[in-house]
Amino acid sequence: MTIAGDQVTYDHLLPSETAMVIGGGVAGMQAALDIADQNYKVVLVEKSPSIGGVMAMLDKTFPTLDCSACILTPRLSEVARHPNIELLTYSEVVGVTGKAGDFRVRVLRKARKVDEEKCSGCGDCVPHCPIEVPNEFDQDLGFRKAIYIGFPQSTPLVYTIDTENCIKCGMCEKSCDRDAILLDAEDEEVEIPVGAIVVATGYELYDVTKYPRLGYGTYKNVMHALEYERIINAAGPTGGHLLRLSDGKIPKSLGFIQCVGARDVEKGVPNCSRICCMYSIKNAVMAFELAHDHVKDVTLYYADLRAFGKGFEEFKEMAKERFGVKFIRGRVGEVSENLKNRNVIVRVEDTESGKFLEKEHELVVISPGILPPKTLKNLSNHMGLTLDSDGFLTVENETITPVDTTVPGIYVCGCAESPKDIPDSVAAGSAAAMRASITLAKGGAP
Amino acid sequence: MKMAIAWGCLVPSRRSLLGYEAATRKVLEHLDVEIVDVPNETCCAPFWMQSLDIATSRAMAARNLAKAEEMGLDMLTPCSGCFHSYKRVNHTIEKYPGVHDQINNILRTAGLRYEGTVEAFHLVDFLYNQIGLDVIQSKIVKDFEGIDLGLRYGCHMLKPHEILNIEYSERPTFADEILEGLGATSKQYTGRHRCCGGLLRGTEDDLADEVLRDRLIDAKEADVDALVTVCSLCHIQHDMGQRIIKNKFGIEDLDIPVLHYPQLLALAFGFSPKEIGLQQHTASTASFAAKLKAGAPVEGGGK
Amino acid sequence: MTNMGQTDEIRTQRDDAPIRDEDVDRAFKYEVANQVGGEGLLRCLKCGACSGGCPVGAVTDYRPRKVLGNVLLGLKDLVLSSEDIWMCAACFTCEERCVQEVNFTDIVTILRNMAVKEGHAAEGYLEMAKTVVEHGRVVPMTFAVNKMRDKLDLPPLQEPAMDEIAKIIQASGFDKILALYKGRDRT
């Protein structure tokens, strides 16, 4: 209940028995579940209207090609239904005081303008809303209304009205049988006492428009990997049909460009992003899987292939041998467009043969590196945490305390600390949960 | 505003480049910029000279800068090669004090010294940042509506941007903005930012031809009324080189007028094609002049 | 490598002769890296971003990556005597894009300067330099030029400061470099 004037308090929570997890992606969810399963209370704060993070957007996971949503969805319900987890979605941490065992966290609960208790997620309001805007969850490729859920498994299954685009016409109000619409609701700040905090704020993609030479934003048939994920996702804007954006054609030939916004000293991102090689190989394989009658050529242009995890190297070999993905070692120089058919021409040196190639692809997918979210800097200031030169959170000791931040009682997991794939994020989530519950068990003592 | 100006070697002495100087002089005067030629200007010793001996090259570039410094003026130049040389010297002096000493040790023998206080401007950057589009637009008497231009920024005005400090070279817009401000359409096309091979002329001629061939095909496919260059080498390549490429590679219908950047401003200000040497270009500019003549003058405008 | 087809193809494309110990000058890369502009050399990953955007590479088998590779290997004689280092058009595209901030164009300048001292200067550039030394500019001032200028209402060209040029090339030692090439026929 978050109606203005009806101040919600969290006095029922005891700091000695409560932890907060900031960020509801797969790492934060794991941390929340592991803490909650030890009979501590957990307040899980998520910035967007739903938990699930980036994993909810993905089509398949590597190297097993499991359906991402199939793994994640049961977890979403588990978190939502856990008696010890209190979910604060559409909320942001704006201030932290206190110390291990006794923190006070101020959380801004953005007005969702839909009563979380009353909304059943039926969606009756949606056809009545006259406003249509690009859906961020679909990387702006699909559309949503001003009253929306980003995706069908949205958790909690509660609609949100986006204040920026809502014209307050009141149509949703009229269409709602349960009187759940609260058009006049306002943002509200609450203070929550907790004994330990886990930061799991995830990542954002490198802005690939900073590489004009690769044509993103200029050429219609150049997209980035997360857009591709949504395109090939059955719940995405094309219903899982692989097609290119200029004319809706199924591409016969695809090119994947690696190391964009990663390992680039000139662009200020010297670090390896760790996940791009594998997610791109997976995406390359998926092109064959989805449209094997059409797709004839899938080429991946890389600087070095880093297939370091369990089953990764084998997956790469399978992509090469069984699916016929072509691997060309060479950082792409530039791309241009064939004006006649809107195909994308990739200029690259195959550094293994020394050949200069001009390869025409019907679709090119750029694989951006990952960065800490821009908001992490602010959040770390609130908490007195420090950031590394790459912008990710600093940990006490990378070798023996890899989830301990520099502030006692505050832990970190997932990509807030460094780029990680899903298994590593989950493992870090469990680790941070254990460290946080030790803090709680010891009443804040280190 | 008063500026020292270095014209470079090619601009004031090549038939097809003289229009660059003529148009620059007219445009600057029209915009109330006073210019003083660098006294007894010598070669700025650009990249080809750096290739032979970088120390000599730096000292030669610093010689012209020293002369501007004596006059207490900043340096303007329409030549991208000169601009690059001057910017590079300034950058090197700032970053490597030892090199500064080395330059002055050489200059001293010629009775010169360069402290490093002269700021170098490329004409196009100067027009955009120091004069401004509003002032330029207030002087327009001829509208370029319906004219499609293929602008070539060239290499040496922009790259590397850390040294030249104008605009990020992969996505420059400033020179387009002025052309669009004249009413023309500045077309984006493939190969627009790729090198023309100008610096290979004279030492790797076949290679210079091959690189140029690709650029001219790009321009032809872009279907523009004229190419616009800001660099003397770009102009020599695209203008004089067209006939070579046509014959050597058997490319038909290659007749693209190639104009110097300030020539467009001069035309927009009401100067005649003849005054600014349009007839001196190797590739005929007649089709462009004719299309321009057909366009209507701006109402109420006057030179 | 498991894909045999790919391996065979690579092998037939490679024209590199085996490198012999006596061809390797281990100090060469440091000699280059220690000069102004050469600092980035040792950071090169040979990723090929330079070659992929090279306008000369698009029409020939010139590869900036290969030049850097040979410098890093220490193949001093090969690099300094090869035509490759004279094929760079100095467009600075690779320098602008290099992910490791290797200033390739500056490194080419360093290599060319070294090659010049060993007698490998490109004739075309040498001719231009001689013209500058004799006339102060790349294009000598002539009566015809001034006549053309007059027609366009342009002032006559100034006399370049020849005395200053003469002193500069003497002090920089460039006159000695030119002397190295004296009497050499144009090929």
Side-chain angles (χ1 to χ4, degrees), chain C residues 49-51 53-54 64 91-99 102 104-105:
Chain C
C50 44
S51 305
C54 178
C91 71
F92 294 90
T93 305
C94 56
E95 181 159 328
E96 190 79 338
R97 291 176 179 174
C98 177
V99 297
V102 180
F104 179 75
T105 323

Side-chain angles (χ1 to χ4, degrees), chain C residues 97-175:
Chain C
R97 291 176 179 174
C98 177
V99 297
Q100 288 291 95
E101 294 182 330
V102 180
N103 295 337
F104 179 75
T105 323
D106 293 359
I107 289 171
V108 158
T109 302
I110 293 166
L111 295 172
R112 286 179 181 182
N113 279 205
M114 292 168 92
V116 166
K117 294 198 178 81
E118 308 216 337
H120 302 301
E123 288 294 341
Y125 289 169
L126 216 48
E127 289 302 315
M128 284 151 85
K130 283 179 194 159
T131 310
V132 169
V133 168
E134 277 169 41
H135 302 280
R137 334 166 53 104
V138 174
V139 187
M141 217 176 66
T142 60
F143 176 70
V145 167
N146 273 331
K147 208 170 146 193
M148 275 195 303
R149 292 178 60 80
D150 188 48
K151 270 195 201 157
L152 273 178
D153 219 11
L154 296 169
L157 270 178
Q158 298 184 75
E159 196 72 53
M162 290 311 302
D163 50 332
E164 290 172 11
I165 292 266
K167 285 179 178 140
I168 285 171
I169 68 153
Q170 208 181 354
S172 73
F174 192 59
D175 55 345

Side-chain angles (χ1 to χ4, degrees), chain B:
Chain B
M1 208 179 309
K2 194 173 172 182
M3 301 290 290
I5 191 159
W7 296 100
C9 297
L10 300 170
V11 172
S13 45
R14 284 292 186 89
R15 187 185 152 83
S16 62
L17 290 169
L18 284 177
Y20 198 178
E21 180 177 344
T24 304
R25 287 192 188 268
K26 295 230 164 10
V27 165
L28 290 176
E29 193 185 347
H30 202 64
L31 294 166
D32 300 318
V33 179
E34 193 188 333
I35 48 171
V36 188
D37 291 6
V38 168
N40 310 97
E41 183 187 338
T42 53
C43 173
C44 75
F47 191 73
W48 60 266
M49 183 67 200
Q50 294 169 18
S51 298
L52 297 173
D53 187 51
I54 185 83
T56 310
S57 158
R58 287 185 195 123
M60 285 178 67
R63 183 266 162 205
N64 289 338
L65 288 166
K67 285 291 168 188
E69 200 170 58
E70 276 175 22
M71 298 191 286
L73 297 175
D74 281 337
M75 179 90 105
L76 184 59
T77 177
C79 174
S80 301
C82 292
F83 173 69
H84 196 116
S85 297
Y86 300 140
K87 276 288 205 183
R88 184 168 284 272
V89 164
N90 278 344
H91 173 82
T92 312
I93 282 177
E94 205 184 310
K95 201 169 161 198
Y96 306 92
V99 176
H100 193 182
D101 293 343
Q102 189 191 33
I103 291 171
N104 275 327
N105 287 341
I106 296 172
L107 287 182
R108 191 185 306 121
T109 63
L112 297 161
R113 181 173 174 79
Y114 178 51
E115 299 291 347
T117 60
V118 177
E119 181 78 51
F121 293 92
H122 191 285
L123 174 70
V124 180
D125 175 46
F126 180 81
L127 289 169
Y128 183 80
N129 279 315
Q130 309 298 314
I131 303 291
L133 186 54
D134 330 349
V135 177
I136 291 170
Q137 274 180 318
S138 70
K139 308 253 182 189
I140 297 175
V141 296
K142 182 92 190 160
D143 196 348
F144 280 23
E145 208 194 310
I147 303 258
D148 288 339
L149 298 173
L151 171 63
R152 285 194 53 84
Y153 280 85
C155 302
H156 297 151
M157 178 173 74
L158 298 174
K159 290 181 274 191
H161 74 284
E162 291 93 343
I163 292 183
L164 304 180
N165 206 14
I166 295 192
E167 194 175 352
Y168 181 45
S169 72
E170 300 262 15
R171 193 169 22 196
T173 57
F174 66 107
D176 295 277
E177 280 174 46
I178 297 183
L179 294 184
E180 302 254 333
L182 304 179
T185 304
S186 185
K187 273 194 158 178
Q188 299 285 334
Y189 66 94
T190 297
R192 179 180 189 247
H193 293 292
R194 288 183 188 149
C195 166
C196 71
L199 258 173
L200 297 164
R201 223 10 106 207
T203 171
E204 297 270 356
D205 280 322
D206 284 339
L207 201 47
D209 290 343
E210 279 184 69
V211 175
L212 176 61
R213 174 198 57 201
D214 287 4
R215 289 305 80 79
L216 286 172
I217 290 172
D218 291 340
K220 192 172 170 233
E221 280 175 4
D223 192 23
V224 289
D225 296 315
L227 284 174
V228 183
T229 59
V230 305
C231 166
S232 20
L233 287 178
C234 271
H235 194 271
I236 290 179
Q237 280 285 78
H238 287 82
D239 179 58
M240 307 221 296
Q242 266 186 66
R243 200 182 301 162
I244 304 174
I245 300 305
K246 215 163 149 174
N247 297 333
K248 189 168 177 178
F249 300 101
I251 300 169
E252 285 176 26
D253 310 326
L254 200 55
D255 299 293
I256 313 168
V258 188
L259 274 72
H260 299 290
Y261 196 84
Q263 282 178 330
L264 288 138
L265 274 79
L267 290 168
F269 293 167
F271 293 97
S272 74
K274 203 162 175 232
E275 284 175 281
I276 52 167
L278 234 55
Q279 71 284 4
Q280 311 232 90
H281 296 195
T282 313
S284 170
T285 55
S287 64
F288 180 78
K291 185 157 185 186
L292 197 60
K293 205 173 174 188
V298 173
E299 251 178 70
K303 197 173 111 185

Side-chain angles (χ1 to χ4, degrees), chain A residues 75-145:
Chain A
R75 278 293 160 98
L76 293 174
S77 342
E78 214 180 316
V79 172
R81 284 205 308 257
H82 204 292
N84 288 338
I85 298 180
E86 184 143 1
L87 254 185
L88 297 185
T89 49
Y90 212 44
S91 302
E92 279 174 59
V93 169
V94 291
V96 180
T97 53
K99 60 176 175 36
D102 192 17
F103 290 111
R104 292 281 184 279
V105 185
R106 278 187 296 117
V107 176
L108 178 73
R109 305 218 58 197
K110 289 177 284 182
R112 141 175 255 156
K113 302 194 172 176
V114 176
D115 192 324
E116 289 185 15
E117 307 286 314
K118 288 184 184 165
C119 178
S120 66
C122 69
D124 279 354
C125 49
V126 174
H128 298 279
C129 177
I131 303 295
E132 201 164 68
V133 291
N135 187 356
E136 335 32 18
F137 191 84
D138 284 336
Q139 298 301 302
D140 291 347
L141 294 175
F143 290 90
R144 63 162 172 83
K145 293 296 184 70

Side-chain angles (χ1 to χ4, degrees), chain A residues 339-381:
Chain A
L339 288 173
K340 291 182 203 89
N341 51 21
R342 313 294 297 273
N343 287 353
V344 183
I345 302 162
V346 173
R347 284 185 161 207
V348 63
E349 183 198 9
D350 176 352
T351 61
E352 288 185 329
S353 67
K355 265 192 184 168
F356 179 88
L357 306 175
E358 269 188 293
K359 270 194 82 167
E360 193 165 314
H361 291 290
E362 295 191 335
L363 177 67
V364 159
V365 183
I366 297 178
S367 309
I370 63 183
L371 296 176
K374 283 176 209 78
T375 46
L376 186 60
K377 200 172 169 62
N378 246 336
L379 185 69
S380 62
N381 284 343

